[in-house]
């Protein structure tokens, strides 16, 4: 991955300010149940209404949320890494718009008692949707604060009753060359694959995100569902997931295959372990000028530090 380059937006890519402000104001003022109407009026379509039906107005803000300033919607949705839709950060906001979101299923299999294929709308009903305002840190040196909507990943994983022999979880993104022409260039080994240790996957901070900023997840951010692991570098957060496999051994990931010395399996945010080509000590928040210090585990050390007790985090980077 290249290093940080500040975002710049063509005027056409930016959600018109007036529309965005009115949508935010509407979402804030709308009571329970009115969001479906808003979604319809704004042309957000069926999927947004399905989300809306799911207790939109009654969203709980998770106590894990940060109260730091949220990164503007236009940056979160116009500065994306989604290589299936091109390697330029401004590309997915345009080229991902044709991705079909329904029907969409996720297969959970491997070392489980009850393998299942679940429809996206049934996943939406598994647990109450929560707002999780998380700090996100990309390995390239930029960071964001994103108000995700999601469910604990554990709520999804428990559906299939993992066996005692399952120690890791592998996540696979959709790989459909017809919808994702950029995958004809083999910049990565498709499908995009990521992995977590089972205890990391079951940790309460780990979520399956289904939305952001009070609305359905935009396609460029990984609709209809993507992984969010806030104490790890952003590339762990596989987008547009279609398969979750429980395995015994540490799974190979797309980035590890692309550069084993650069992208380790753990990928914990760690200012003390530099990327071979650049320092990881500081970061730049999108929309800000000055750099800030990067915190161990992206500031979530209190919650996740014990997962790595006794591990050499230089070797397990
Ligand atoms: N998932 C898929 N399927 N393809 C990708 O190219 N890029 C990763 C991750 N998930 C990627 C992906 C990287 S490098 C980052 S930093 C985050 O998505 C970016 O997520 P965002 O665009 O929502 O900020």
């Amino acid at each position: 991955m290249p290093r940080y380059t500040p975002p710049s937006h063509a005027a056409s890519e930016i959600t018109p300010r007036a529309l965005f402000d009115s949508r935010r104001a509407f979402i804030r003022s709308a009571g329970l149940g009115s969001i479906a109407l808003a979604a319809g009026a704004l042309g957000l379509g069926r999927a947004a209404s399905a989300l809306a039906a799911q207790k939109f107005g009654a969203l709980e803000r998770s106590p894990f949320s940060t109260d730091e300033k949220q990164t503007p919607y236009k940056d979160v949705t116009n500065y994306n890494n989604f290589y299936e839709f091109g390697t330029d950060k401004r590309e997915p906001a345009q080229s991902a718009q044709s991705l079909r979101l329904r029907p969409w299923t996720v297969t959970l299999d491997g070392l489980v008692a009850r393998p299942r294929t679940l429809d996206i709308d049934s996943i939406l009903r598994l647990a109450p949707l929560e707002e999780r305002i998380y700090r996100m840190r990309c390995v390239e040196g930029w960071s964001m604060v994103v108000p995700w909507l999601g469910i604990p990943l554990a709520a999804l994983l428990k559906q299939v009753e993992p066996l005692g022999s399952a120690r890791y979880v592998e996540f696979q993104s959709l790989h459909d060359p017809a919808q994702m022409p950029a995958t004809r260039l083999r910049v990565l080994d498709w499908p995009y694959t990521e992995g977590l240790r089972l205890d990391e996957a079951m940790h309460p901070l780990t979520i399956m995100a289904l939305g952001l900023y009070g609305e359905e997840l935009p396609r460029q951010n990984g609709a209809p569902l993507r992984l969010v692991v806030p104490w790890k570098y952003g590339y762990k957060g596989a987008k547009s997931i279609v398969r979750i496999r429980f395995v015994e051994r540490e799974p190979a990931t797309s980035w590890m295959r692309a550069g084993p010395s650069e992208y380790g399996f753990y990928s914990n945010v760690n200012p003390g372990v530099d990327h071979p080509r650049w320092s990881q000590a500081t970061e730049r928040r999108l929309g800000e000028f000055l750099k800030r210090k990067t915190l161990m585990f992206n500031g979530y050390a209190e919650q996740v530090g014990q997962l790595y007790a006794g591990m050499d985090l230089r070797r397990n980077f």
Side-chain angles (χ1 to χ4, degrees), residues 1 76 79-84 137-140 142 144 146 148 173-174 188 190 192 212 220-222 226 233-240 255:
M1 258 180 265
V76 175
Y79 192 76
N80 302 103
N81 278 330
F82 200 166
Y83 280 16
E84 288 89 329
R137 169 65 155 82
C138 179
V139 75
E140 296 166 34
W142 46 275
M144 302 187 285
V146 182
W148 300 108
S173 298
L174 178 71
L188 283 176
W190 314 112
Y192 191 98
L212 59 77
Q220 62 269 33
N221 292 93
R226 60 87 62 82
Y233 292 117
Y235 64 88
K236 279 275 150 184
K239 294 177 166 180
S240 306
W255 282 108

Short mmCIF file of all heavy atoms in Angstrom, two decimals, residues 1 76 79-84 137-140 142 144 146 148 173-174 188 190 192 212 220-222 226 233-240 255, ligand 1:
data_model
loop_
_atom_site.label_atom_id
_atom_site.label_comp_id
_atom_site.label_asym_id
_atom_site.label_seq_id
_atom_site.Cartn_x
_atom_site.Cartn_y
_atom_site.Cartn_z
N MET A 1 0.84 -1.19 0.00
CA MET A 1 0.00 0.00 0.00
C MET A 1 0.88 1.25 0.00
O MET A 1 1.88 1.28 0.70
CB MET A 1 -0.84 0.02 1.27
CG MET A 1 -2.27 -0.41 1.05
SD MET A 1 -3.18 -0.34 2.60
CE MET A 1 -3.03 -2.03 3.14
N VAL A 76 -15.31 10.14 4.87
CA VAL A 76 -15.49 8.71 5.15
C VAL A 76 -15.96 7.97 3.89
O VAL A 76 -15.61 6.81 3.68
CB VAL A 76 -16.51 8.51 6.30
CG1 VAL A 76 -16.82 7.04 6.53
CG2 VAL A 76 -16.01 9.16 7.59
N TYR A 79 -13.02 8.57 0.31
CA TYR A 79 -11.58 8.32 0.42
C TYR A 79 -11.44 6.88 0.90
O TYR A 79 -11.32 6.61 2.10
CB TYR A 79 -10.97 9.30 1.42
CG TYR A 79 -9.47 9.35 1.41
CD1 TYR A 79 -8.78 10.00 0.39
CD2 TYR A 79 -8.73 8.74 2.43
CE1 TYR A 79 -7.39 10.03 0.39
CE2 TYR A 79 -7.34 8.78 2.43
CZ TYR A 79 -6.69 9.43 1.41
OH TYR A 79 -5.31 9.47 1.41
N ASN A 80 -11.55 5.94 -0.04
CA ASN A 80 -11.72 4.54 0.34
C ASN A 80 -10.67 3.62 -0.26
O ASN A 80 -10.24 3.81 -1.39
CB ASN A 80 -13.10 4.05 -0.12
CG ASN A 80 -14.23 4.87 0.46
OD1 ASN A 80 -14.81 5.70 -0.22
ND2 ASN A 80 -14.52 4.67 1.73
N ASN A 81 -10.32 2.61 0.50
CA ASN A 81 -9.57 1.49 -0.04
C ASN A 81 -10.56 0.36 -0.28
O ASN A 81 -11.15 -0.17 0.68
CB ASN A 81 -8.49 1.02 0.95
CG ASN A 81 -7.24 1.86 0.88
OD1 ASN A 81 -6.91 2.40 -0.18
ND2 ASN A 81 -6.52 1.97 1.98
N PHE A 82 -10.78 0.03 -1.53
CA PHE A 82 -11.64 -1.10 -1.90
C PHE A 82 -11.14 -1.50 -3.28
O PHE A 82 -11.66 -1.10 -4.31
CB PHE A 82 -13.12 -0.66 -1.94
CG PHE A 82 -14.12 -1.79 -1.85
CD1 PHE A 82 -15.47 -1.52 -1.58
CD2 PHE A 82 -13.75 -3.12 -2.03
CE1 PHE A 82 -16.41 -2.54 -1.48
CE2 PHE A 82 -14.68 -4.14 -1.93
CZ PHE A 82 -16.01 -3.85 -1.66
N TYR A 83 -10.04 -2.29 -3.25
CA TYR A 83 -9.27 -2.55 -4.47
C TYR A 83 -10.06 -3.30 -5.54
O TYR A 83 -9.72 -3.24 -6.71
CB TYR A 83 -7.98 -3.31 -4.11
CG TYR A 83 -6.87 -2.41 -3.58
CD1 TYR A 83 -7.12 -1.13 -3.12
CD2 TYR A 83 -5.56 -2.87 -3.55
CE1 TYR A 83 -6.10 -0.31 -2.65
CE2 TYR A 83 -4.52 -2.06 -3.08
CZ TYR A 83 -4.80 -0.79 -2.63
OH TYR A 83 -3.77 0.00 -2.17
N GLU A 84 -11.12 -3.99 -5.14
CA GLU A 84 -11.96 -4.67 -6.15
C GLU A 84 -12.59 -3.64 -7.08
O GLU A 84 -13.05 -3.96 -8.17
CB GLU A 84 -13.08 -5.46 -5.47
CG GLU A 84 -12.63 -6.72 -4.74
CD GLU A 84 -12.25 -6.46 -3.28
OE1 GLU A 84 -11.76 -5.34 -2.96
OE2 GLU A 84 -12.43 -7.38 -2.46
N ARG A 137 -7.71 3.45 12.16
CA ARG A 137 -6.35 3.83 11.78
C ARG A 137 -5.93 2.98 10.59
O ARG A 137 -5.91 1.74 10.66
CB ARG A 137 -5.42 3.60 12.97
CG ARG A 137 -3.91 3.69 12.71
CD ARG A 137 -3.48 5.09 12.31
NE ARG A 137 -2.08 5.34 12.62
CZ ARG A 137 -1.04 4.95 11.86
NH1 ARG A 137 -1.24 4.29 10.75
NH2 ARG A 137 0.20 5.24 12.24
N CYS A 138 -5.60 3.62 9.48
CA CYS A 138 -5.14 2.89 8.31
C CYS A 138 -3.62 2.71 8.39
O CYS A 138 -2.91 3.59 8.90
CB CYS A 138 -5.51 3.64 7.03
SG CYS A 138 -4.94 2.79 5.54
N VAL A 139 -3.14 1.61 7.89
CA VAL A 139 -1.69 1.32 7.94
C VAL A 139 -0.90 2.38 7.17
O VAL A 139 0.28 2.60 7.43
CB VAL A 139 -1.42 -0.12 7.40
CG1 VAL A 139 -1.56 -0.17 5.87
CG2 VAL A 139 -0.07 -0.64 7.83
N GLU A 140 -1.57 3.07 6.25
CA GLU A 140 -0.87 4.07 5.42
C GLU A 140 -0.61 5.38 6.17
O GLU A 140 0.06 6.26 5.65
CB GLU A 140 -1.69 4.38 4.17
CG GLU A 140 -1.85 3.20 3.25
CD GLU A 140 -2.94 3.42 2.22
OE1 GLU A 140 -3.13 4.55 1.76
OE2 GLU A 140 -3.61 2.44 1.87
N TRP A 142 -3.14 7.44 7.83
CA TRP A 142 -4.27 8.35 8.07
C TRP A 142 -5.25 7.67 9.01
O TRP A 142 -5.24 6.44 9.17
CB TRP A 142 -4.94 8.78 6.77
CG TRP A 142 -5.22 7.69 5.78
CD1 TRP A 142 -4.36 7.18 4.85
CD2 TRP A 142 -6.44 6.94 5.64
NE1 TRP A 142 -4.96 6.18 4.14
CE2 TRP A 142 -6.23 6.02 4.60
CE3 TRP A 142 -7.68 6.97 6.28
CZ2 TRP A 142 -7.22 5.11 4.18
CZ3 TRP A 142 -8.66 6.07 5.86
CH2 TRP A 142 -8.42 5.17 4.83
N MET A 144 -9.41 8.13 11.05
CA MET A 144 -10.75 8.70 10.97
C MET A 144 -11.47 8.36 12.27
O MET A 144 -11.07 7.46 13.00
CB MET A 144 -11.58 8.02 9.87
CG MET A 144 -11.01 8.07 8.49
SD MET A 144 -12.21 7.42 7.29
CE MET A 144 -12.13 5.67 7.55
N VAL A 146 -15.34 7.21 12.95
CA VAL A 146 -16.51 6.84 12.15
C VAL A 146 -17.66 6.39 13.05
O VAL A 146 -17.48 5.51 13.89
CB VAL A 146 -16.17 5.69 11.17
CG1 VAL A 146 -17.38 5.33 10.31
CG2 VAL A 146 -14.99 6.06 10.29
N TRP A 148 -20.13 4.10 13.18
CA TRP A 148 -20.65 2.88 12.54
C TRP A 148 -21.99 2.51 13.15
O TRP A 148 -22.27 2.82 14.32
CB TRP A 148 -19.71 1.70 12.77
CG TRP A 148 -18.33 1.85 12.24
CD1 TRP A 148 -17.19 2.05 12.97
CD2 TRP A 148 -17.92 1.80 10.87
NE1 TRP A 148 -16.10 2.13 12.12
CE2 TRP A 148 -16.52 1.98 10.84
CE3 TRP A 148 -18.59 1.62 9.66
CZ2 TRP A 148 -15.78 1.99 9.65
CZ3 TRP A 148 -17.86 1.63 8.48
CH2 TRP A 148 -16.48 1.82 8.48
N SER A 173 -14.36 -11.73 1.20
CA SER A 173 -15.21 -10.73 0.53
C SER A 173 -15.74 -11.32 -0.77
O SER A 173 -15.19 -12.30 -1.29
CB SER A 173 -14.38 -9.49 0.21
OG SER A 173 -13.89 -8.90 1.39
N LEU A 174 -16.76 -10.68 -1.29
CA LEU A 174 -17.29 -11.09 -2.59
C LEU A 174 -16.19 -10.96 -3.64
O LEU A 174 -15.42 -9.99 -3.63
CB LEU A 174 -18.46 -10.17 -2.98
CG LEU A 174 -19.09 -10.43 -4.34
CD1 LEU A 174 -19.88 -11.73 -4.35
CD2 LEU A 174 -19.99 -9.26 -4.77
N LEU A 188 -4.12 -7.98 -5.85
CA LEU A 188 -4.21 -8.81 -4.65
C LEU A 188 -4.72 -10.17 -5.08
O LEU A 188 -5.26 -10.33 -6.17
CB LEU A 188 -5.19 -8.21 -3.63
CG LEU A 188 -4.72 -7.02 -2.80
CD1 LEU A 188 -5.87 -6.51 -1.94
CD2 LEU A 188 -3.54 -7.40 -1.91
N TRP A 190 -7.44 -12.55 -4.99
CA TRP A 190 -8.88 -12.52 -4.70
C TRP A 190 -9.40 -13.92 -4.39
O TRP A 190 -8.84 -14.88 -4.92
CB TRP A 190 -9.65 -11.94 -5.90
CG TRP A 190 -9.04 -10.72 -6.47
CD1 TRP A 190 -8.45 -10.58 -7.68
CD2 TRP A 190 -8.96 -9.41 -5.85
NE1 TRP A 190 -7.99 -9.29 -7.86
CE2 TRP A 190 -8.29 -8.56 -6.74
CE3 TRP A 190 -9.38 -8.90 -4.61
CZ2 TRP A 190 -8.03 -7.22 -6.45
CZ3 TRP A 190 -9.12 -7.58 -4.33
CH2 TRP A 190 -8.45 -6.75 -5.24
N TYR A 192 -10.62 -11.15 -1.57
CA TYR A 192 -10.00 -10.47 -0.44
C TYR A 192 -10.27 -11.31 0.80
O TYR A 192 -11.42 -11.63 1.11
CB TYR A 192 -10.61 -9.08 -0.27
CG TYR A 192 -9.87 -8.19 0.71
CD1 TYR A 192 -8.97 -7.24 0.23
CD2 TYR A 192 -10.11 -8.24 2.07
CE1 TYR A 192 -8.30 -6.38 1.11
CE2 TYR A 192 -9.45 -7.40 2.95
CZ TYR A 192 -8.55 -6.47 2.46
OH TYR A 192 -7.89 -5.62 3.32
N LEU A 212 -23.41 3.37 8.55
CA LEU A 212 -22.61 4.44 9.16
C LEU A 212 -23.38 5.74 9.05
O LEU A 212 -24.23 5.90 8.18
CB LEU A 212 -21.21 4.52 8.54
CG LEU A 212 -21.00 4.76 7.04
CD1 LEU A 212 -21.23 6.21 6.66
CD2 LEU A 212 -19.56 4.37 6.68
N GLN A 220 -19.13 1.80 -1.24
CA GLN A 220 -17.68 1.98 -1.20
C GLN A 220 -17.10 1.68 0.18
O GLN A 220 -15.90 1.45 0.31
CB GLN A 220 -17.29 3.38 -1.68
CG GLN A 220 -17.83 4.54 -0.84
CD GLN A 220 -19.18 5.05 -1.33
OE1 GLN A 220 -20.00 4.29 -1.84
NE2 GLN A 220 -19.41 6.34 -1.17
N ASN A 221 -17.94 1.67 1.21
CA ASN A 221 -17.47 1.34 2.55
C ASN A 221 -17.70 -0.13 2.90
O ASN A 221 -17.46 -0.54 4.03
CB ASN A 221 -18.13 2.23 3.60
CG ASN A 221 -17.68 3.68 3.47
OD1 ASN A 221 -18.33 4.47 2.79
ND2 ASN A 221 -16.56 4.02 4.08
N GLY A 222 -18.19 -0.92 1.92
CA GLY A 222 -18.26 -2.36 2.15
C GLY A 222 -19.64 -2.94 2.34
O GLY A 222 -19.81 -3.97 2.98
N ARG A 226 -19.59 -5.35 6.59
CA ARG A 226 -18.12 -5.43 6.64
C ARG A 226 -17.66 -5.50 8.09
O ARG A 226 -18.35 -5.09 9.02
CB ARG A 226 -17.50 -4.25 5.90
CG ARG A 226 -17.83 -2.85 6.43
CD ARG A 226 -16.93 -2.34 7.51
NE ARG A 226 -15.53 -2.17 7.22
CZ ARG A 226 -14.98 -1.12 6.61
NH1 ARG A 226 -15.74 -0.15 6.17
NH2 ARG A 226 -13.70 -1.03 6.47
N TYR A 233 -5.11 -2.27 12.23
CA TYR A 233 -5.06 -1.45 11.03
C TYR A 233 -6.27 -1.76 10.15
O TYR A 233 -6.78 -2.89 10.13
CB TYR A 233 -3.74 -1.68 10.28
CG TYR A 233 -2.55 -1.14 11.04
CD1 TYR A 233 -1.53 -1.98 11.49
CD2 TYR A 233 -2.46 0.22 11.33
CE1 TYR A 233 -0.45 -1.48 12.21
CE2 TYR A 233 -1.38 0.73 12.05
CZ TYR A 233 -0.39 -0.12 12.49
OH TYR A 233 0.68 0.39 13.21
N GLY A 234 -6.71 -0.72 9.43
CA GLY A 234 -7.98 -0.80 8.69
C GLY A 234 -8.10 -1.95 7.72
O GLY A 234 -9.21 -2.39 7.43
N TYR A 235 -6.97 -2.46 7.21
CA TYR A 235 -7.10 -3.52 6.20
C TYR A 235 -7.65 -4.82 6.75
O TYR A 235 -8.08 -5.70 6.01
CB TYR A 235 -5.77 -3.74 5.45
CG TYR A 235 -4.60 -4.24 6.25
CD1 TYR A 235 -4.38 -5.61 6.43
CD2 TYR A 235 -3.67 -3.36 6.79
CE1 TYR A 235 -3.28 -6.07 7.13
CE2 TYR A 235 -2.57 -3.80 7.50
CZ TYR A 235 -2.39 -5.16 7.67
OH TYR A 235 -1.30 -5.61 8.37
N LYS A 236 -7.68 -4.95 8.11
CA LYS A 236 -8.32 -6.14 8.70
C LYS A 236 -9.81 -6.14 8.43
O LYS A 236 -10.47 -7.17 8.49
CB LYS A 236 -8.07 -6.15 10.21
CG LYS A 236 -6.73 -6.69 10.60
CD LYS A 236 -6.77 -8.20 10.70
CE LYS A 236 -5.43 -8.80 10.37
NZ LYS A 236 -5.44 -10.27 10.37
N GLY A 237 -10.39 -4.95 8.18
CA GLY A 237 -11.84 -4.81 8.05
C GLY A 237 -12.36 -5.20 6.68
O GLY A 237 -12.72 -4.34 5.86
N ALA A 238 -12.41 -6.50 6.41
CA ALA A 238 -12.86 -6.99 5.09
C ALA A 238 -14.26 -6.46 4.77
O ALA A 238 -15.13 -6.43 5.64
CB ALA A 238 -12.85 -8.51 5.07
N LYS A 239 -14.44 -6.06 3.52
CA LYS A 239 -15.70 -5.46 3.07
C LYS A 239 -16.56 -6.47 2.33
O LYS A 239 -16.04 -7.44 1.78
CB LYS A 239 -15.39 -4.28 2.14
CG LYS A 239 -14.68 -3.13 2.84
CD LYS A 239 -14.35 -2.02 1.87
CE LYS A 239 -13.95 -0.76 2.64
NZ LYS A 239 -13.62 0.35 1.73
N SER A 240 -17.84 -6.19 2.24
CA SER A 240 -18.78 -6.96 1.41
C SER A 240 -18.54 -8.47 1.57
O SER A 240 -18.24 -9.19 0.62
CB SER A 240 -18.64 -6.54 -0.06
OG SER A 240 -18.77 -5.14 -0.18
N TRP A 255 -3.31 -9.65 2.16
CA TRP A 255 -2.18 -8.75 2.33
C TRP A 255 -0.92 -9.48 2.75
O TRP A 255 0.19 -9.10 2.37
CB TRP A 255 -2.53 -7.63 3.32
CG TRP A 255 -3.37 -6.57 2.66
CD1 TRP A 255 -4.69 -6.33 2.87
CD2 TRP A 255 -2.94 -5.65 1.65
NE1 TRP A 255 -5.11 -5.31 2.05
CE2 TRP A 255 -4.07 -4.87 1.29
CE3 TRP A 255 -1.72 -5.41 1.01
CZ2 TRP A 255 -4.01 -3.86 0.33
CZ3 TRP A 255 -1.67 -4.41 0.05
CH2 TRP A 255 -2.80 -3.65 -0.29
N1 LIG B 1 -11.96 -5.09 1.86
C1 LIG B 1 -11.95 -5.48 0.57
N2 LIG B 1 -12.78 -6.44 0.19
N3 LIG B 1 -11.11 -4.92 -0.34
C2 LIG B 1 -10.22 -3.95 0.02
O1 LIG B 1 -9.45 -3.49 -0.84
N4 LIG B 1 -9.32 -2.55 1.82
C3 LIG B 1 -9.01 -2.55 3.25
C4 LIG B 1 -10.28 -2.68 4.11
N5 LIG B 1 -11.17 -3.69 3.58
C5 LIG B 1 -10.20 -3.51 1.37
C6 LIG B 1 -11.13 -4.10 2.27
C7 LIG B 1 -8.27 -1.38 3.66
S1 LIG B 1 -6.65 -1.32 3.14
C8 LIG B 1 -8.79 -0.40 4.45
S2 LIG B 1 -7.81 0.85 5.08
C9 LIG B 1 -10.22 -0.37 4.77
O2 LIG B 1 -10.95 -1.42 4.13
C10 LIG B 1 -10.83 0.96 4.32
O3 LIG B 1 -12.16 1.05 4.71
P1 LIG B 1 -12.98 2.39 4.37
O4 LIG B 1 -12.87 2.62 2.89
O5 LIG B 1 -14.39 2.15 4.81
O6 LIG B 1 -12.31 3.50 5.15
#
